[in-house]
Amino acid sequence: MPHTDKSQAFLEQFPALEPDQAFRFACHPGVECFNACCSKLTLSLTPYDVLRLRGELGLSFREFLSGYASLVHAPDTNLPAIRLEMLKDKAGSCPFLRSHGCSVYPNRPGACRTYPVGRAATVERGGFRERYFLIQEPHCRGFAEQRIWTPCEWLADQGLPPYNASNDRYVNLMAGLRERGMRVPPRKSAMVVMALYGLDEFRAFLRQMNVLEKLGLPPEGIAAILANEEKTLDFGFDWMNIILFGNFPGH
């Protein structure tokens, strides 16, 4: 999950794990509590989560937002974020939960992939610091299973490297705002939403305004950004560094 004060406090309730420290866990339909952790969630979706879910569902950003999520703002930085809305049923279920499990499993959010390992990434002098925690909740019977993992093995098995790489750029953006004591100005808030979440709209904006050409990017780089949403998002973080901080990293 992206680092916030609340998420940090939540993770620190649980025992810390070293990257090579073993733990026992498995989750599958045969586990007694299967699907029990997929309800009544306060689940913030990272930009990369939204990218993957939109691709799975075949939706535009606006369709996804109106059907499954809500727009919120961080109280300290006013950085826009997207929160997944639970159903209004008695259980408060995730909208993607079915009796057989997760209906978007190949493109499920990073927080769902990570569980039961919590990963906290913070920006410190000299780079990122990663810490791992074991989120061992009383209802979960997965810890009685026999499969042995280390945090690094678990994150690799769950397909987290691209999620974490993108999410760390989001963490870095939050850290940049905090270090400067900045709040995202209301007039720039819509641009943040478009560049990080509304990638279909962002690509249309880039084309219409010839942004990439004006920045002097090579033709092959421009083509990649306009053809591949992961590349579009990667540039979106660069664009936010221009809009918010006046610099263009990596170019």
Side-chain angles (χ1 to χ4, degrees):
M1 65 178 70
H3 170 69
T4 65
D5 293 336
K6 288 184 177 180
S7 65
Q8 183 74 15
F10 171 77
L11 289 176
E12 289 182 352
Q13 300 176 65
F14 301 101
L17 279 174
E18 295 299 322
D20 59 351
Q21 183 177 342
F23 66 95
R24 191 168 67 182
F25 183 80
C27 182
H28 53 81
V31 177
E32 180 184 351
C33 61
F34 186 63
N35 288 348
C37 59
C38 302
S39 301
K40 297 181 179 177
L41 303 173
T42 302
L43 184 57
S44 293
L45 299 175
T46 69
Y48 193 75
D49 288 335
V50 174
L51 181 159
R52 293 285 293 262
L53 286 170
R54 283 184 47 242
E56 172 75 22
L57 298 167
L59 298 177
S60 71
F61 170 63
R62 294 298 163 182
E63 289 169 337
F64 177 80
L65 187 62
S66 64
Y68 295 100
S70 58
L71 181 65
V72 297
H73 292 80
D76 57 343
T77 62
N78 200 41
L79 185 65
I82 303 295
R83 180 176 296 162
L84 184 65
E85 290 292 323
M86 299 294 108
L87 296 179
K88 304 300 183 184
D89 60 7
K90 184 176 180 181
S93 306
C94 171
F96 306 123
L97 179 62
R98 305 291 184 268
S99 60
H100 65 272
C102 178
S103 64
V104 295
Y105 190 81
N107 292 290
R108 65 200 183 281
C112 304
R113 292 170 182 268
T114 307
Y115 187 87
V117 174
R119 175 183 180 265
T122 53
V123 180
E124 299 183 359
R125 186 169 296 179
F128 273 85
R129 180 189 180 199
E130 286 185 310
R131 290 188 292 163
Y132 301 105
F133 302 84
L134 188 63
I135 305 174
Q136 194 162 2
E137 298 175 293
H139 73 269
C140 183
R141 299 293 179 264
F143 296 99
E145 298 292 299
Q146 299 303 308
R147 183 67 187 269
I148 302 294
W149 306 90
T150 67
C152 290
E153 290 171 343
W154 177 255
L155 269 58
D157 182 79
Q158 297 299 301
L160 277 156
Y163 283 81
N164 291 342
S166 183
N167 295 349
D168 286 350
R169 295 205 68 185
Y170 187 82
V171 170
N172 199 50
L173 187 64
M174 287 194 295
L177 290 166
R178 288 175 168 175
E179 286 170 4
R180 294 167 174 82
M182 287 178 58
R183 290 177 57 81
V184 175
R187 68 184 184 278
K188 294 183 179 180
S189 182
M191 178 60 74
V192 175
V193 173
M194 180 173 65
L196 298 185
Y197 298 99
L199 300 178
D200 48 344
E201 299 173 8
F202 187 44
R203 284 195 288 186
F205 165 79
L206 295 175
R207 289 190 182 98
Q208 181 179 359
M209 303 304 293
N210 294 319
V211 171
L212 303 173
E213 291 82 358
K214 290 174 182 176
L215 289 172
L217 297 185
E220 61 273 17
I222 293 174
I225 290 168
L226 296 178
N228 182 298
E229 283 209 343
E230 294 199 20
K231 297 290 187 182
T232 309
L233 176 56
D234 196 43
F235 175 76
F237 284 113
D238 288 340
W239 184 240
M240 286 300 93
N241 275 279
I242 296 173
I243 296 299
L244 298 175
F245 308 135
N247 63 349
F248 191 12
H251 295 274

